[in-house]
Amino acid sequence: MAAKLYTEKHEVPYYECDVTNYMTPAMLLNVIILISEKQNLDLGLGADFMEQFGLGWVVIQYDISIDRLPEINETISISTQATSYNRFFAFREFWMKDSDGKELVHVRSTWVTMNKSSRKMVTIPAAALEPYDSEPVKRLPRLKRPTKVEAADDVIEQKYQVRYYDIDGNGHVNNAHYLEWFTDVLPMDFLATHQPTAIYLRFENEVQYGHMIDSIVTKPIEVDGELTTNHQILVGDAVSATATIKWRNHD
Amino acid sequence: MAAKLYTEKHEVPYYECDVTNYMTPAMLLNVIILISEKQNLDLGLGADFMEQFGLGWVVIQYDISIDRLPEINETISISTQATSYNRFFAFREFWMKDSDGKELVHVRSTWVTMNKSSRKMVTIPAAALEPYDSEPVKRLPRLKRPTKVEAADDVIEQKYQVRYYDIDGNGHVNNAHYLEWFTDVLPMDFLATHQPTAIYLRFENEVQYGHMIDSIVTKPIEVDGELTTNHQILVGDAVSATATIKWRNHD
């Protein structure tokens, strides 16, 4: 039996777009997470359900393929499926399609359940999986990991203060903001003329309100014929998140 | 004949809310502007129409009354009406209502048309007004002006760098970000336990990409029985925007 698919339409308002009138990568994460929360609710597995176990779902890795980003005023459909799982990890996919059903974006993601008081990863409770009809597997699909920023790399670097509005209803920094810190460091000239084709993103340690973070990015270089940047977010010496982004020209 | 009313429903996603699970004041501005742009389009008066005159609409002042902010997952209805105008100014109102039709938020705003090359204010073309059935008036309603921050005030101050994602499709800073800069300066303790009841906001000079802005706020004090803060955004010595915000306790 295939895992349950959940689909909703989404009309892209101007404030989810950047100066190029395409959806920002951060908003892309926001809207897919919204759709997965709606599926959770639909199946009676919302935040309240997880709360009875003292648990919350936490995403640890994203692998995002982008044909093109959704554009201003466009109505897209967004689907999600909790595809497979093992004892500690769950694998969830997302698709964004245009009005002709053409795939624009495909996201693969790895999740864990975390004990809300100890902040430790725990075995996923069977009751929190069963209604999705996900497939139990020995090994989850392997997601591409970001390439490390090396000491010899030519980098650009900027500090950002975590702001009040970066914090969501759980009291944690909304994951989408990491994508803003990763990319804002790059020059406007570059951001306004390039669009990501792939984003590999890994979360390591939580950033908190009031933290000063250091966003470091390698200058765009060609790797295997694709323009690539490697990213790192640090709080002090601790790596909070890493990413690799591949880019194409776009006007 | 009353001016044409335009209404749309809006479901509030988590990423338009802050740690209290209520819509942020910045998102409140984003969604009302979206609704006014939809009315403009509906009447054939979108950005393309204004472009033929080389003009764009610019808001110069907001007077926002808040009974309570919309909350996470709530479906509200948002209405707008281009109520009245004279030669240089147009007056537009917005209403947010809950599902029982109870008014949550009422916004009154003053607009001008600006020549896109000279960045100068010009007479509003009749063709850009006629389809709204707005009422021509000698004097527009007087909106409350923000109270000045005075040299003797006890203030909190923080610098913010204007970021790439603060810029919208017109190449200008999206006005909603001013509200983030105004309020983020206040301590998290205060923001998480108070909700605005009124915001008087005035734009003076444009902030641009790369600018370092200085956000200054008076510590909350009681004025006429209401907790009040006065705000100022500076670029160097130039005042870019001012605001007065009244607050109530909320848990």
Side-chain angles (χ1 to χ4, degrees):
Chain A
M1 180 163 53
K4 286 186 180 116
L5 193 72
Y6 182 89
T7 302
E8 272 201 21
K9 287 196 193 300
H10 178 76
E11 190 180 341
V12 181
Y14 76 92
Y15 56 86
E16 295 182 358
C17 298
D18 66 15
V19 67
T20 70
N21 285 325
Y22 284 86
M23 186 182 263
T24 69
M27 275 296 170
L28 187 153
L29 286 193
N30 276 335
V31 298
I32 64 167
I33 293 304
L34 179 67
I35 298 303
S36 73
E37 289 187 352
K38 292 225 183 158
Q39 181 182 39
N40 297 348
L41 277 176
D42 195 49
L43 297 173
L45 300 170
D48 288 353
F49 173 85
M50 294 302 284
E51 197 59 57
Q52 66 179 310
F53 301 102
L55 299 181
W57 284 106
V58 175
V59 66
I60 55 169
Q61 208 169 334
Y62 283 113
D63 179 331
I64 307 170
S65 300
I66 302 167
D67 187 64
R68 77 158 166 84
L69 288 165
E71 70 186 301
I72 190 168
N73 300 333
E74 181 174 13
T75 299
I76 56 172
S77 77
I78 312 174
S79 302
T80 187
Q81 193 173 47
T83 316
S84 61
Y85 68 95
N86 63 24
R87 223 175 133 211
F88 286 110
F89 299 96
F91 182 67
R92 185 184 268 283
E93 288 176 273
F94 300 91
W95 296 265
M96 287 183 170
K97 293 183 178 171
D98 71 11
S99 57
D100 295 328
K102 187 176 177 304
E103 189 174 299
L104 303 178
V105 175
H106 182 192
V107 181
R108 307 192 304 152
S109 57
T110 308
W111 297 71
V112 298
T113 45
M114 186 178 268
N115 181 295
K116 286 194 146 186
S117 13
S118 72
R119 309 298 298 159
K120 289 247 177 359
M121 193 175 123
V122 299
T123 311
I124 306 173
L129 287 167
E130 193 275 326
Y132 296 107
D133 296 336
S134 299
E135 188 191 1
V137 292
K138 280 258 192 278
R139 280 162 180 260
L140 291 190
R142 186 183 296 270
L143 299 191
K144 280 212 186 108
R145 290 174 83 111
T147 307
K148 276 197 182 146
V149 176
E150 304 286 355
D153 288 337
D154 189 10
V155 299
I156 319 171
E157 188 168 348
Q158 194 162 312
K159 290 193 187 299
Y160 296 89
Q161 177 93 47
V162 180
R163 299 179 183 176
Y164 176 71
Y165 296 108
D166 297 335
I167 312 293
D168 64 19
N170 299 314
H172 302 294
V173 172
N174 174 345
N175 279 342
H177 292 293
Y178 289 80
L179 270 174
E180 291 175 345
W181 296 322
F182 278 133
T183 50
D184 182 66
V185 191
L186 289 161
M188 185 171 184
D189 289 2
F190 180 82
L191 292 171
T193 53
H194 292 80
Q195 196 167 88
T197 59
I199 303 175
Y200 314 125
L201 175 50
R202 204 177 146 83
F203 299 105
E204 307 278 356
N205 286 295
E206 267 186 292
V207 166
Q208 277 157 19
Y209 175 68
H211 275 165
M212 180 69 83
I213 68 117
D214 203 1
S215 178
I216 299 170
V217 56
T218 57
K219 289 190 181 153
I221 51 159
E222 222 164 281
V223 177
D224 304 331
E226 288 175 299
L227 212 51
T228 302
T229 50
N230 298 321
H231 304 253
Q232 201 175 46
I233 286 173
L234 298 173
V235 178
D237 293 334
V239 175
S240 289
T242 57
T244 288
I245 307 181
K246 294 175 183 289
W247 305 86
R248 66 173 170 83
N249 275 308
H250 115 105
D251 334 88
Chain B
M1 181 162 53
K4 285 185 182 120
L5 194 73
Y6 183 89
T7 302
E8 272 202 18
K9 287 195 192 301
H10 178 76
E11 191 180 339
V12 182
Y14 76 92
Y15 55 87
E16 295 182 358
C17 298
D18 66 15
V19 67
T20 69
N21 286 324
Y22 285 85
M23 185 182 264
T24 68
M27 275 296 170
L28 187 153
L29 285 193
N30 277 335
V31 297
I32 65 168
I33 294 305
L34 179 67
I35 298 303
S36 73
E37 288 187 353
K38 293 227 180 155
Q39 180 182 40
N40 296 347
L41 277 175
D42 194 50
L43 297 174
L45 299 171
D48 288 354
F49 173 85
M50 294 302 285
E51 197 59 59
Q52 68 179 309
F53 301 102
L55 299 182
W57 284 106
V58 175
V59 65
I60 54 168
Q61 207 168 334
Y62 282 115
D63 178 331
I64 307 170
S65 301
I66 302 168
D67 186 63
R68 77 159 167 83
L69 287 164
E71 69 185 305
I72 191 167
N73 300 332
E74 180 174 15
T75 298
I76 55 172
S77 77
I78 312 174
S79 303
T80 188
Q81 193 175 47
T83 316
S84 61
Y85 68 94
N86 63 25
R87 222 172 134 211
F88 286 110
F89 300 96
F91 182 67
R92 185 183 268 284
E93 288 177 272
F94 300 90
W95 296 265
M96 288 183 168
K97 292 182 180 174
D98 71 11
S99 57
D100 295 327
K102 187 178 175 306
E103 189 173 299
L104 303 178
V105 176
H106 182 193
V107 181
R108 307 193 303 153
S109 58
T110 307
W111 296 72
V112 298
T113 45
M114 187 179 268
N115 181 295
K116 286 192 147 189
S117 12
S118 72
R119 310 298 299 158
K120 289 249 177 0
M121 192 175 125
V122 298
T123 311
I124 306 172
L129 287 167
E130 192 276 325
Y132 296 106
D133 296 336
S134 299
E135 187 191 2
V137 291
K138 281 258 193 279
R139 280 162 181 257
L140 290 189
R142 186 184 296 270
L143 299 190
K144 279 211 185 112
R145 291 174 84 112
T147 307
K148 276 198 182 143
V149 176
E150 303 287 353
D153 289 337
D154 189 9
V155 298
I156 318 171
E157 188 167 349
Q158 195 163 311
K159 289 191 187 301
Y160 296 88
Q161 178 94 47
V162 180
R163 299 179 182 176
Y164 176 70
Y165 296 109
D166 297 334
I167 311 293
D168 65 19
N170 299 316
H172 301 294
V173 172
N174 173 346
N175 279 342
H177 292 294
Y178 288 80
L179 269 175
E180 291 176 346
W181 297 321
F182 277 134
T183 53
D184 182 66
V185 191
L186 289 161
M188 185 172 184
D189 290 1
F190 180 83
L191 292 171
T193 53
H194 292 81
Q195 197 168 86
T197 58
I199 303 175
Y200 314 124
L201 175 50
R202 205 179 145 82
F203 299 105
E204 307 278 356
N205 286 294
E206 267 187 292
V207 167
Q208 275 156 20
Y209 175 67
H211 274 165
M212 181 69 82
I213 68 116
D214 203 0
S215 179
I216 300 171
V217 55
T218 57
K219 290 190 179 152
I221 49 159
E222 223 164 280
V223 177
D224 303 331
E226 289 177 299
L227 214 50
T228 302
T229 50
N230 298 319
H231 305 252
Q232 200 174 45
I233 286 173
L234 298 173
V235 178
D237 293 334
V239 175
S240 288
T242 56
T244 288
I245 306 182
K246 293 175 183 289
W247 306 85
R248 66 173 170 83
N249 275 308
H250 116 105
D251 333 271

